[in-house]
Amino acid sequence: RIKRHHIFFKSIAKASADDTGFKAAMACGSAGKERDLIHSLVDYYDIREFLDIYEDLGKEELNRLLNRSKCNVLLSLKEGSNRSIFESMFSGTPVILLKNNIGVRKDYINEFTGILCSDRSLADDLRRMKADYLKFEPARWASENIAPKVSTGKLVSRIKELDEKITEMKA
């Protein structure tokens, strides 16, 4: 329920109905009851031929999968700064993020990095991303706006600004 797989699977079913070449992947752990539920949902939506499920991938395998992907999808309603979003951007993979998500800064998802979606728009957004993923420039945007060196520079500037205000107030 937290990751909202049912929304993803329903959208895959819709997107693949119009596009027999549509393919999605999901990386996850292989935890007990949730695993069975996920596979039951895949069967319920009849999308097994359109979805590859990868379980318990190591970091290198996960990175290879991400680099082959046309986008990364995050549909959680509440999810703090999920690192997969940043890993995607820096690897050049655009993001589809649920616009109702609480936790991820929405201004990070923009014309360069990806799409903010709704549950209803996800199938169309997946099709759009399949067609247009090369039009996005997430790696460039991430390097210019949220890379560690850039973020550190912003923090140093803000600290200097606050320090100057404190100095003025003391004077």
Side-chain angles (χ1 to χ4, degrees):
R1 291 183 318 186
I2 293 169
K3 298 292 185 182
R4 305 176 74 239
H5 295 100
H6 62 288
I7 301 297
F8 184 52
F9 298 160
K10 184 177 181 179
S11 297
I12 291 170
K14 284 182 184 178
S16 63
D18 300 334
D19 180 355
T20 56
F22 186 88
K23 195 73 170 171
M26 184 175 80
C28 58
S30 60
K33 288 187 286 184
E34 297 299 321
R35 181 183 190 278
D36 294 340
L37 175 60
I38 286 170
H39 284 278
S40 293
L41 285 169
V42 168
D43 291 335
Y44 175 80
Y45 286 106
D46 195 24
I47 58 168
R48 196 157 298 275
E49 71 182 282
F50 305 105
L51 177 67
D52 292 331
I53 299 176
Y54 297 88
E55 299 179 76
D56 297 323
L57 294 179
K59 289 179 183 181
E60 289 181 17
E61 294 169 300
L62 187 58
N63 188 49
R64 281 193 293 275
L65 177 61
L66 181 61
N67 288 328
R68 289 194 327 256
S69 299
K70 292 184 171 70
C71 71
N72 178 17
V73 179
L74 181 64
L75 299 174
S76 306
L77 288 170
K78 276 182 136 178
E79 180 107 24
S81 292
N82 181 291
R83 79 172 186 211
S84 75
I85 293 207
F86 303 103
E87 290 171 349
S88 295
M89 288 182 193
F90 281 104
S91 73
T93 303
V95 172
I96 295 178
L97 173 70
L98 181 68
K99 66 180 165 188
N100 295 340
N101 169 278
I102 297 171
V104 177
R105 286 187 55 172
K106 305 302 179 304
D107 59 332
Y108 285 2
I109 311 303
N110 55 54
E111 63 192 290
F112 301 103
T113 62
I115 300 170
L116 289 172
C117 76
S118 67
D119 290 353
R120 285 185 161 194
S121 73
L122 182 57
D124 291 333
D125 294 331
L126 288 169
R127 284 191 288 263
R128 176 179 162 213
M129 191 62 79
K130 181 183 176 198
D132 295 341
Y133 75 100
L134 290 173
K135 295 178 181 176
F136 294 92
E137 298 180 86
R140 182 176 67 85
W141 184 90
S143 295
E144 293 173 358
N145 293 278
I146 59 172
K149 190 173 185 174
V150 173
S151 296
T152 300
K154 289 177 183 180
L155 284 171
V156 168
S157 292
R158 182 67 177 141
I159 290 169
K160 286 180 182 177
E161 182 182 306
L162 292 171
D163 188 46
E164 289 171 6
K165 285 183 181 181
I166 291 171
T167 303
E168 287 174 12
M169 288 173 38
K170 288 181 178 180

